[in-house]
Amino acid sequence: MRPLWVDFHCHLDLYPDHASLVAESDRERVATLAVTTTPKAWRRNREVAAGSDYVRVALGLHPQLVAERASELLLFEKFLPETRYVGEIGLDAGPRFYKSFADQERVFSRILSACAEQGDKILTIHSVRCVGKVLDHLERSFPPGRGVPVMHWFTGTAAEAQRACALGCYFSVNAQMLTSAKGAKMVRALPQDRLLTETDGPFVDFGDRPSRPRDVGETVKQLASILQSSNEAVNELVIANLGALTRFVSP
Ligand code: MN
């Protein structure tokens, strides 16, 4: 059955009740992309989501973990043929992770090349303080037609947003991004047919607890107010966008 909601970036395996979140996504019909941060988590995540109609698992190697986990690149490449969804991957130039930036670039570039070579991949990408660099890598190593990049928690400039669109990117937006005037303005400038919703739980809170996939309805409301549209219209748009995205690279 068609999903009712879309959470295109949530770390289900970082909650104590991973399996019940999968069941909840099925019950509430939330199309949830369960992102992972290390290839070592892949098998377990796939097992937990094995019977699910609404949860898909992405194979990831988080840029913030590259300093300790770069050696898992081989494992990443081994599992890559088993999945269409990849992430969380990307680059992080924030002060805490800048030391590993050269390694991050090497890993990200290898991942993009492997994805491009295999084709039919949908990527969820982190780009903290280095949107331009991320786009440089996409331009170099991930030609449109080999898959679709989704910029997660995008904070780039208007010019960078345009460049990302030209590279075929989608954008998954969360509650926290939409609370600032700057974030709202940026999202308003994005093409509506490239918008998706995400929670980025458990890293974004909902009230006094980490957000769960079913909370994404709140983000739809925020988005509707920013786009001066109705909740229903925005939700329809996001579901249609997910449909277009997932068919895009299908045979
Ligand atoms: Mn994340």
Side-chain angles (χ1 to χ4, degrees), residues 9 11 88 152 200 203:
H9 188 111
H11 297 263
E88 181 161 359
H152 136 73
D200 200 19
F203 297 109

Side-chain angles (χ1 to χ4, degrees), residues 16-34:
D17 57 341
H18 182 180
S20 70
L21 276 170
V22 171
E24 190 173 289
S25 293
D26 281 342
R27 208 165 50 236
E28 309 274 340
R29 290 162 60 191
V30 189
T32 302
L33 186 63

Side-chain angles (χ1 to χ4, degrees), residues 9-11 14 35-37 62 88 124 126 152-153 198-203:
H9 188 111
C10 188
H11 297 263
L14 300 183
V35 298
T36 58
T37 54
H62 199 292
E88 181 161 359
T124 175
H126 176 112
H152 136 73
W153 205 324
E198 64 168 42
T199 57
D200 200 19
F203 297 109

